[in-house]
Amino acid sequence: MQLVLIGPPGAGKGTIAEKVAARYKLARLSTGDMLREAIARGTALGARANEYVEAGRLVPQEILGAVVAERLREAKDFVLDGYPRTLEQAEFLSGLPYVELDAVVYVVVPEEEVVSRLAGRLVCSVCGGVTNADDGAAGICEFCGSGRLEPRADDQPDTVRKRYEIYVAETEPVVEYYRAASILRAVDGTGSREEVFARVEAAVKALVASGDDNR
Ligand code: AMP
């Protein structure tokens, strides 16, 4: 199965993608995580992407495209989180011979909620687990019990605003692209993690069933 998650920064795509990957036994590819890891390890990709990620701008497709294509070729069954983010990337993905998406889930969260979630977001320095200061998280990670919780560098208010503007301008057209292809469902991304995941699962089931009907 091949899935894509789309939504604004702070919609909870990473958390949902992790659960979806475990539930359907899929490889998870988060381009944001992949880029942060490349930057931390000082790889050639990291060196080229660093200035964009730091500023909250999109990494150009000529830097990112080939790496994503390679990862997906190896994966076959996957959930993609954070890619595609532009029409150019969506068309690139459609052109890969081993990619035939089964479902695109659009996670809808209002702008005010996204901004307040990101302002309080804390990420574990060891396991990458995501929590929120608004839920009382602080200090040491509740998931692995060892990592320190820290804000993400690109979650500063100015950078968040820029990332949101880029999302509206560049990524919302991707929603229309997949809606036109009848492989997209929107789900309400507000509420508890369990509630959101149940909605995502229902959307995936419905899209896979309608895809089967059309084959
Ligand atoms: P994320 O963790 O998905 O919020 O991504 C963090 C940052 O990585 C973004 O602000 C971009 O700088 C970069 N990035 C992640 N995915 C993409 C993508 N599909 N295209 C361009 N840049 C990306």
Side-chain angles (χ1 to χ4, degrees), residues 6 87 106 171-184:
I6 293 189
L87 273 181
Y106 170 35
T171 311
E172 284 191 348
V174 178
V175 171
E176 295 316 315
Y177 176 85
Y178 287 127
R179 210 192 292 278
S182 304
I183 54 168
L184 177 133

Side-chain angles (χ1 to χ4, degrees), residues 47-132:
R48 297 183 73 193
N50 190 21
E51 60 172 306
Y52 298 97
V53 175
E54 228 172 52
R57 287 161 53 209
L58 294 183
V59 175
Q61 167 67 359
E62 59 268 26
I63 297 179
L64 197 54
V67 192
V68 170
E70 185 58 24
R71 294 277 179 103
L72 296 183
R73 196 170 57 78
E74 287 162 7
K76 291 191 185 73
D77 292 305
F78 56 78
V79 52
L80 256 177
D81 141 27
Y83 195 100
R85 262 173 150 100
T86 63
L87 273 181
E88 182 191 19
Q89 292 180 359
E91 281 163 2
F92 174 77
L93 201 58
S94 299
L96 295 175
Y98 41 86
V99 170
E100 191 173 350
L101 299 179
D102 296 286
V104 178
V105 178
Y106 170 35
V107 185
V108 182
V109 179
E111 180 176 0
E112 320 79 74
E113 177 152 350
V114 158
V115 172
S116 95
R117 280 189 193 181
L118 292 180
R121 174 157 75 176
L122 295 169
V123 183
C124 173
S125 56
V126 172
C127 74
V130 179
T131 43
N132 204 293

